[in-house]
Amino acid sequence: MAKKEVKKVVLAYSGGLDTSIILKWLQDEYNAEVVTFTADIGQGEEVEPAREKALKMGIKPENIFILDIQEEFVKDYVFPMFRANTIYEGEYLLGTSIARPLIAKKQIEIAKKVGADAVAHGATGKGNDQVRFEIGYLSLNPDITVIAPWREWDLNSREKLLRYAEKHGIPIEKHGQKSPYSMDANLLHISYEGGILEDPWAEPEESMWRWSVSPEKAPNTPEYIEITFENGDPIAINDSAMSPATILRTLNEYGNKHGIGRIDIVENRFVGMKSRGCYETPGGTILLKAHRAIESITLDREEAHLKDSIMPKYAELIYNGFWFAPEREALQALIDNTQKNVNGVVRLKLYKGNVEVVGRRSDNSLFDANYCTFEEDEVYNQKDAEGFIKLNALRFIIKGKQK
């Protein structure tokens, strides 16, 4: 299939080996003007060096975009997801998945600003990210041309990439021994894939983990924290008001200290194969526990159960890349409507990898000790339960009499 002619392309650019090679490859294969976009979403690495690398490779200064989007990431993507208590396949807190639509959105915005007719990414043809990026692009601009080099070139091994880099004078920085894992990080999590993790029986070595101490080495004394919620979102820790990104960053520090948030799972990728991944989501693990706790006293029973019933579908939409889909937005509207009374404070005990809820309070609490007390009360007639039980058992009584 012949390549579509493009004049200007916006590349999601980290400054690493793969995207640096893609930058050069786009210039050569498409003879296109390249615009680079580097997103700071709290990955914990310097992003400014990407500017120097792009300049060295001939990118015009006005075509280099480096944006700090951490606050937008947490406020408009992470927090809405956590309002739904979202987990994929029972464990995964979707740290990689939730970052992709924002990156795609920014690429499309930059493309419009600079008059680009194409966008490009460095996701491989085996993973979920290609789907997430490209559905995002086409949802926001159905006329944009999408270039996915990994599905076009034959540079399908690290050795070939290194030879290409050497041939074209692409600088390769070496900082000691390279990690054997494919990693992705942002303010919500860090992921590890590949290497020995491709054997689902092999335990990852302790040196792999970067964002948390092992529970065995965590402090021997528990630590208590309080998280304040307003309309389902955390707004303060220990009575100290913070911005969304600062909230998550602070919770990450607590989780790191106490060995919280490690998981090792085999997940079902959207493209069809199973994949083993290890994830560290220290702050998100704490936040999920706290959010469920404040909901437990502020949500009506059927409201809570309805949320739980739609959550797997909502999680699947995010995992598969359908953040901008009308069905995800419809579910979000329902979820957000349930959060108007999710206000209050949750007290948590952090200790050696565990997050334990030890207190919750709210002015909107539906918990009424007058009804649920085991002591004598004047508001509940226990005899009323007899009719309730008989009505619920009526179909079984009728069926039983037929036998």
Side-chain angles (χ1 to χ4, degrees), residues 285-286 300 332:
T285 301
I286 297 171
D300 171 78
Q332 190 72 60

Side-chain angles (χ1 to χ4, degrees), residues 300-360:
D300 171 78
R301 180 189 69 185
E302 295 307 314
E303 208 173 23
H305 291 182
L306 177 61
K307 280 186 79 251
D308 282 347
S309 71
I310 65 173
M311 185 277 289
K313 177 62 177 178
Y314 179 90
E316 184 180 87
L317 289 171
I318 295 174
Y319 184 84
N320 292 345
F322 291 88
W323 178 262
F324 298 110
E327 63 270 32
R328 200 283 306 174
E329 293 175 346
L331 289 177
Q332 190 72 60
L334 187 156
I335 291 160
D336 291 351
N337 187 65
T338 69
Q339 301 296 289
K340 57 185 179 294
N341 290 322
V342 181
N343 309 306
V345 182
V346 176
R347 188 168 71 250
L348 303 159
K349 178 181 178 181
L350 313 179
Y351 183 64
K352 290 192 175 295
N354 294 308
V355 185
E356 183 180 350
V357 177
V358 294
R360 67 290 272 167

